[in-house]
Amino acid sequence: SNMTKCLKVLQPKDTLIAIRGGLSLGARIWGDEAAINVPPENRWLALHGFLDNAGSYNKLAPEMLALGASSVVCLDMAGHGKSEWRPTGVYYVFDNVADIVYAADALKWDTFSIIGHSLGGGVAQGVAATCPDRVLRLVSIEALSWWPQDSKQFVSNLRTNIHSRQKGSNLQVFKSLEECADRR
């Protein structure tokens, strides 16, 4: 019946998504889990704020589905919710940007929409700046900008950083302290 179908849609699935670099991110998936044969703008990644987790979207995700979204994948960023902690214990916003791009890759979503709140809003902006050809819609709620330089130069540097990372690792290892200092 329609009621059974409606109730099924409103029950999220909690899972882990293995991403490049060896981390697993927690995900709460609302709607069509695969979301492959749907209009790509109806596939949404949802990013939480600084002290939050994927559950932040428990009220909004069903509303998004009711308004036409096919899938809302609410991700726990590294060190939050059910996601793994970074082995280095260091959490940079740039690493979150890379993780979200890698999560979209793991979902096999070439293009998608993204919504983020607070920290997640800044990360969503970073994803859109890094991969403008992949992000079809961007919603950034109460996000603080974190661009420390001219915006055009920042976007160029961000793209270079994210796209040039070694496959399989988010960690940069330097041969010496001097080499590390020279990179800064």
Side-chain angles (χ1 to χ4, degrees):
S1 75
N2 282 347
M3 180 59 87
T4 304
K5 184 177 179 183
C6 181
L7 289 175
K8 183 178 179 190
V9 169
L10 295 180
Q11 297 303 312
K13 176 185 178 189
D14 289 336
T15 190
L16 291 173
I17 297 175
I19 63 168
R20 185 181 350 169
L23 278 178
S24 289
L25 299 182
R28 176 163 287 171
I29 302 173
W30 294 84
D32 182 356
E33 185 176 345
I36 298 298
N37 297 316
V38 300
E41 65 273 11
N42 293 337
R43 298 188 291 230
W44 285 86
L45 294 177
L47 310 179
H48 60 77
F50 183 67
L51 296 176
D52 294 326
N53 58 50
S56 297
Y57 289 91
N58 284 350
K59 294 202 184 280
L60 185 57
E63 296 295 328
M64 292 171 70
L65 292 173
L67 292 171
S70 300
S71 180
V72 182
V73 177
C74 309
L75 294 168
D76 285 324
M77 287 186 259
H80 295 261
K82 296 180 181 176
S83 288
E84 294 178 332
W85 293 14
R86 294 195 189 285
T88 60
V90 178
Y91 294 84
Y92 293 117
V93 174
F94 300 105
D95 293 328
N96 289 328
V97 171
D99 291 347
I100 301 311
V101 172
Y102 301 158
D105 292 344
L107 291 165
K108 297 182 176 34
W109 289 5
D110 293 333
T111 55
F112 52 89
S113 298
I114 191 166
I115 182 172
H117 170 253
S118 187
L119 168 66
V123 171
Q125 291 172 27
V127 171
T130 301
C131 305
D133 54 321
R134 295 184 70 182
V135 177
L136 302 174
R137 295 178 184 171
L138 166 66
V139 177
S140 184
I141 306 164
E142 296 181 324
L144 297 176
S145 178
W146 41 270
W147 318 136
Q149 54 193 260
D150 172 73
S151 61
K152 288 182 182 177
Q153 184 61 47
F154 175 79
V155 168
S156 174
N157 290 345
L158 179 64
R159 286 180 184 158
T160 299
N161 176 282
I162 301 300
H163 294 304
S164 68
R165 290 174 179 227
Q166 263 187 345
K167 219 175 192 179
S169 175
N170 291 341
L171 178 64
Q172 288 186 335
V173 178
F174 300 98
K175 294 177 184 165
S176 68
L177 184 57
E178 291 76 23
E179 182 187 356
C180 179
D182 287 344
R183 291 287 301 273
R184 302 292 161 218

